[in-house]
Structure formats: C-alpha cells, structure tokens
Amino acid sequence: MGNAYFSGELVYLRAVEPEDLEVLYSLENDPRMWNVSNFTVPYSKYALKHYIESSAYDMFADRQLRLVIVSRQEGVVAGTVDITDFVPLHARGEVGVAVLKEYQGRGYATEALQLLCNYAFRFLFFRQLVAHVVADNTTCLHVFTSCGFEQCGYLKAWWMIEGEPRDVLLLQCINKGMCQKTHPRGPCLTTPPR
C-alpha cells in the first residue's frame, strides 16, 4: 500500500496490527456502534485476535478492507475506516468510519474517509462507494457529504435503535474522475451524480 494514499495532515491510515486488539475490542463492543451497524452481540478478544491473524489484507480475497486511523498529533489509534461488501464485478463497496469518542470532532473521520476514497478510486479503480447513515445524524452526514457522497435513497424504519425504528439515508459516491471541486485537504476525486 503506497504511503501517499494513506497519509493526511491530521491522520494516517495503516493496516490492523496485533497491538490494535484493545482498540478494536473497545470499538466493536461499544453498544453505540451496534446502533449503526449490523452487529448485535459483543466480540470476544479471541475472535478479534483470530480476525487480525487470519486476514489476508487482500481486498479480493477478504472482500473487505479495514484500516486503523492514527492521530498524527498524538501517535495513537483513534478509530477505524472500512470498506465492506466489496463486489469486484461491479467495482463497488460499502464504507464505514468509527472514531473513538475522545477523538471525535477533530476532523479525523473526514480526512480518513477522504484518504480511503482516494485509495479506492485511484488505486483500486472502484466505480462507487455507498454508506448507510441514520437520517438525523447530522455530524455523520456532514462527514460523508464533505467527501463527495450524495443521498440516493431513503429507507424508512430501516434500523432499530434502542427499540425504535429509525430512517436511514443511502449515500453514494460515484467515481467519475477528477472534478472541479477542491477540498481543503486536496482535490475531490469524485463527481456526484446529477
């Protein structure tokens, strides 16, 4: 993995290492994260250790990619960014970002997502990325829209959060090459559908 794709001003992305077990354990076992994913039970350290050890770190073999987000300022793991449900035939995948509570609000999620999108579009030649976001999660919506994602669907009562049905927006970012829009952290590599 080329360093240029994974290095930003605030964060850099790297592969998951065995020493990341505690951070992954924290993220995967935070019930607030379960509300925005399809996971509903805690992960054991054994299961996470096995995941780290058995991953081929090959998008085509694993059908997913998980990278950790490292804060440049503090030199610590601040979260993860993922591509899941990778479908090579259609050159698409679903993206997700998780940042530990103590590192939220610092721009880490936005920069990590932009780095991941650049890698997916420029190096892996993805055609599109999608994300599911709870309709009233304005912070998360801002992160995705600032990286070129646009709403392409509205799913009523799609997720159950704390026993209540919640609407979810389907967001999509289509890779159409370089666009005129430039973000503070570099050029936008996508042109959203019109």
Side-chain angles (χ1 to χ4, degrees):
M1 292 191 286
N3 192 29
Y5 290 110
F6 301 107
S7 185
E9 292 176 20
L10 302 173
V11 300
Y12 65 90
L13 308 179
R14 65 165 172 77
V16 177
E17 298 287 352
E19 60 265 21
D20 300 323
L21 180 62
E22 291 299 323
V23 174
L24 290 179
Y25 185 74
S26 240
L27 282 169
E28 297 292 353
N29 289 304
D30 182 348
R32 291 171 296 164
M33 296 295 181
W34 298 347
N35 289 334
V36 293
S37 71
N38 291 320
F39 300 111
T40 57
V41 296
Y43 276 96
S44 69
K45 285 185 182 179
Y46 173 81
L48 290 170
K49 184 178 179 188
H50 178 68
Y51 164 77
I52 293 169
E53 291 171 348
S54 66
S55 176
Y57 291 101
D58 178 346
M59 285 281 302
F60 293 89
D62 295 336
R63 296 288 192 254
Q64 65 178 357
L65 174 67
R66 170 168 279 185
L67 300 170
V68 294
I69 303 166
V70 181
S71 163
R72 283 200 175 281
Q73 182 179 18
E74 298 177 44
V76 297
V77 174
T80 61
V81 62
D82 305 88
I83 296 175
T84 60
D85 300 323
F86 171 49
V87 182
L89 176 64
H90 303 297
R92 70 171 182 241
E94 185 169 342
V95 68
V97 182
V99 175
L100 292 164
K101 186 176 177 93
E102 60 267 32
Y103 300 106
Q104 293 176 1
R106 299 184 186 187
Y108 293 175
T110 302
E111 188 170 77
L113 180 59
Q114 182 157 9
L115 291 169
L116 185 70
C117 290
N118 288 344
Y119 175 67
F121 291 144
R122 286 184 142 180
F123 187 78
L124 297 175
F125 303 104
F126 271 49
R127 177 79 179 106
Q128 61 184 297
L129 292 168
V130 298
H132 292 85
V133 176
V134 176
D136 63 357
N137 188 340
T138 56
T139 301
C140 192
L141 287 170
H142 176 73
V143 167
F144 279 94
T145 57
S146 71
C147 291
F149 284 75
E150 287 195 351
Q151 180 181 336
C152 65
Y154 193 95
L155 305 166
K156 293 182 180 182
W158 192 251
W159 282 342
M160 292 294 288
I161 298 179
E162 298 176 359
E164 297 293 323
R166 301 286 291 282
D167 296 348
V168 169
L169 301 179
L170 181 59
L171 304 177
Q172 181 180 45
C173 190
I174 296 179
N175 179 12
K176 292 185 178 177
M178 294 296 287
C179 68
Q180 287 70 31
K181 184 176 177 184
T182 300
H183 293 286
R185 293 181 187 88
C188 169
L189 297 178
T190 62
T191 303
R194 304 240 180 253

